[in-house]
Amino acid sequence: MPSSSPLVSIIIPTYNRAHLIGETLDSVLAQTYQNWECIVVDDGSTDNTLILLQSYLKKDNRFNVYIRNNSYAKGANSCRHIGYLKSKGEYINWFDSDDLMDSQHIGKKVREIVKGNYDFVVCEIARFKGNNLNSLKKVDNNYESGYEVINQFVGELTLFTPGPLWSKSFLERKSLRYKQDRGEVSDTVLNDWVFGIKALLESQSYFFIKEPLVYYRSHGNSIYSDRINLNTQKYLDEFKIRKKVYNTVRNHIGYNRKIEEYYLNRNLKILRVLLIKKTNGLLVLIEILKNRKAGVLLKGKIVFYYITSVLTGRGINKLRV
């Protein structure tokens, strides 16, 4: 049986967050659960982040700070991996350097994971804008039993990076990592979405805490904002990742109309963006035409709009499923 008060490793990647990470670390210090270590891995910050982190090393010896070695590819996933390798805890909670913890965050998770001996437990998330905690709004989730993988795939169930507390033995047993080796370049969009689907496919032993214990900050300096601003490379990355995960899920659960419909609509959105930005979306077009949800008439319409867009450069804004 696991200890009733196990060591929890909180792992935080950071880059140029001197203006925000102090609030994050203060929320770690405010935890009612005391048996934790907090590992912060800096990704080569050029602001005063490291100076700020030094002050937390002096405040509490449960903080540890590392700097990403150049033998690792740059990015948050490398830092998460380094932190994981340095961790000593029986349980792992990856976190982000601009988000906040409720004071009961770690304690409530530990109580549930120990009581049920689960592979992982997941709390809910509440979003807030900028520095305005009064704007907190809980992210809705669909907990329909037996459909967790499907709901995660279509965005009705969201395992954000800070949400789960993981049993390290489960992560080791299933070889679940944000990165597998030093040279792997895996930093892009949808990290938590992919990781969540992998975990749900590998485990039958998890628990959802239906209470927001993580406060997720929405602001302009993020990967998500790159996508909102039509960063073409991010959309191309999204297409490749969604295709790979789609094939994995199909191999596990077979045909599912909900997944097919969602996948088709996401690819249509990506195709629109690529054509609006005058980037050839031929690979995305081919994937759409292979989709079983796209009937003959719709496929013909998509091809027509695609050809028209390539010739005129106007995109396919008007096309809807």
Side-chain angles (χ1 to χ4, degrees):
M1 287 292 292
S3 165
S4 61
S5 184
L7 178 65
V8 175
S9 296
I10 302 164
I11 300 170
I12 305 176
T14 191
Y15 176 72
N16 284 355
R17 286 286 193 257
H19 59 303
L20 293 175
I21 194 172
E23 292 180 58
T24 301
L25 299 184
D26 286 343
S27 75
V28 174
L29 281 171
Q31 293 302 294
T32 56
Y33 187 84
Q34 294 294 301
N35 194 20
W36 53 262
E37 62 171 357
C38 183
I39 300 169
V40 184
V41 183
D42 185 79
D43 197 26
S45 293
T46 56
D47 65 357
N48 292 325
T49 295
L50 284 172
I51 296 173
L52 181 70
L53 292 176
Q54 289 298 319
S55 69
Y56 281 87
L57 291 177
K58 295 175 183 177
K59 284 182 183 180
D60 197 304
N61 62 11
R62 291 174 293 179
F63 287 109
N64 292 284
V65 175
Y66 299 94
I67 299 173
R68 176 186 55 80
N69 187 292
N70 286 334
S71 63
Y72 285 91
K74 182 174 175 59
N77 280 346
S78 286
C79 295
R80 290 184 182 112
H81 187 62
I82 292 167
Y84 180 81
L85 295 177
K86 299 290 185 182
S87 67
K88 300 174 183 176
E90 187 176 345
Y91 296 101
I92 303 292
N93 204 126
W94 282 289
F95 210 74
D96 291 331
S97 60
D98 50 357
D99 298 334
L100 305 176
M101 297 183 178
D102 182 272
S103 63
Q104 302 287 323
H105 171 241
I106 297 298
K108 288 187 175 183
K109 285 180 172 178
V110 167
R111 183 168 66 245
E112 294 297 342
I113 203 167
V114 169
K115 182 172 66 175
N117 197 21
Y118 296 113
D119 293 332
F120 61 95
V121 299
V122 188
C123 72
E124 291 193 323
I125 304 287
R127 292 182 185 272
F128 69 101
K129 295 181 180 179
N131 296 313
N132 183 16
L133 278 171
N134 292 326
S135 66
L136 277 173
K137 184 177 180 181
K138 184 171 75 68
V139 176
D140 292 329
N141 283 296
N142 180 354
Y143 298 105
E144 188 177 7
S145 181
Y147 293 89
E148 290 89 351
V149 172
I150 294 170
N151 292 337
Q152 170 79 4
F153 189 94
V154 303
E156 293 179 7
L157 176 66
T158 307
L159 275 62
F160 288 96
T161 300
L165 176 69
W166 305 95
S167 163
K168 184 185 275 189
S169 65
F170 167 68
L171 297 174
E172 291 289 330
R173 193 166 67 250
K174 299 299 183 179
S175 298
L176 282 170
R177 302 283 190 279
Y178 276 97
K179 283 177 73 76
Q180 296 297 334
D181 55 57
R182 288 172 180 259
E184 180 188 2
V185 180
S186 59
D187 278 305
T188 182
V189 295
L190 303 175
N191 294 315
D192 44 10
W193 181 74
V194 174
F195 202 97
I197 288 176
K198 287 180 179 177
L200 290 166
L201 287 171
E202 292 287 355
S203 174
Q204 297 296 318
S205 174
Y206 46 83
F207 182 77
F208 295 104
I209 301 172
K210 297 174 184 178
E211 177 184 0
L213 299 172
V214 173
Y215 307 139
Y216 184 96
R217 190 190 307 262
S218 299
H219 57 91
N221 184 17
S222 66
I223 290 174
Y224 178 71
S225 67
D226 281 342
R227 290 174 61 218
I228 290 175
N229 295 326
L230 303 187
N231 182 314
T232 303
Q233 186 57 51
K234 298 297 182 188
Y235 275 95
L236 287 169
D237 289 345
E238 178 184 345
F239 166 70
K240 294 173 185 176
I241 292 166
R242 288 194 187 277
K243 181 178 179 181
K244 183 177 180 180
V245 174
Y246 165 78
N247 289 329
T248 299
V249 172
R250 282 290 304 272
N251 287 338
H252 275 80
I253 68 173
Y255 174 81
N256 179 272
R257 182 171 179 174
K258 192 173 183 179
I259 283 178
E260 299 292 335
E261 187 170 328
Y262 179 84
Y263 185 56
L264 170 62
N265 277 285
R266 289 305 306 175
N267 281 333
L268 274 173
K269 180 174 181 180
I270 293 168
L271 183 59
R272 288 188 199 106
V273 171
L274 296 181
L275 293 178
I276 288 168
K277 299 294 284 186
K278 299 181 181 178
T279 300
N280 192 325
L282 185 58
L283 289 176
V284 184
L285 174 67
I286 292 170
E287 188 67 15
I288 290 171
L289 297 181
K290 287 164 52 181
N291 193 285
R292 291 173 63 176
K293 178 66 174 62
V296 175
L297 290 176
L298 178 58
K299 289 178 181 179
K301 189 176 181 182
I302 291 169
V303 170
F304 171 78
Y305 272 95
Y306 176 81
I307 293 171
T308 303
S309 298
V310 170
L311 293 175
T312 66
R314 293 183 180 177
I316 52 173
N317 307 40
K318 296 179 181 179
L319 181 59
R320 297 289 183 271
V321 176

